[in-house]
Amino acid sequence: MDLDLAGAELKSVLNRLRRAQGQIAGVIRMIEEGRDCEEVVTQLAAASRALDRAGFAIIATGLQQCLTGAEDGLRSGEDREEMRSRLEKLFLSLA
């Protein structure tokens, strides 16, 4: 399944990924500095949420494209069950 992120969608996903990147860098610094465990875990949880949200945005865009594409016929001989199975695996990969 090819993903075609456009304009605002792409910007939103990239912003979330950059936010997660900054948070992960912060977690690394905190560990190197010997910071409090609770602070580290809180920052790590924030990074994880940012990555999850980026992943869900990408999957939602892919789902929208799949549904739109289904109207035009399934790509490369893929049947509806195969498409459903692939989308389910993507969602579960973020669970």
Side-chain angles (χ1 to χ4, degrees):
M1 167 177 19
D2 293 334
L3 183 60
D4 183 24
L5 291 174
E9 294 167 337
L10 178 61
K11 185 176 180 178
S12 174
V13 167
L14 289 175
N15 284 340
R16 289 179 192 278
L17 291 173
R18 286 186 184 107
R19 184 176 308 125
Q21 183 179 36
Q23 290 166 327
I24 291 168
V27 168
I28 292 169
R29 269 192 315 278
M30 293 169 81
I31 291 171
E32 290 172 342
E33 295 169 358
R35 299 274 294 272
D36 178 68
C37 178
E38 188 174 340
E39 292 175 25
V40 172
V41 170
T42 299
Q43 189 68 14
L44 190 57
S48 179
R49 283 191 304 274
L51 287 172
D52 286 346
R53 287 184 179 129
F56 287 130
I58 291 169
I59 290 172
T61 299
L63 178 60
Q64 180 181 11
Q65 289 173 7
C66 284
L67 292 174
T68 302
E71 295 171 1
D72 300 330
L74 296 167
R75 293 172 240 204
S76 66
E78 181 178 50
D79 68 18
R80 292 184 192 282
E81 183 59 26
E82 287 176 281
M83 183 191 311
R84 189 205 58 77
S85 178
R86 286 178 44 220
L87 289 169
E88 182 180 344
K89 286 178 186 175
L90 285 174
F91 275 111
L92 292 174
S93 72
L94 292 173

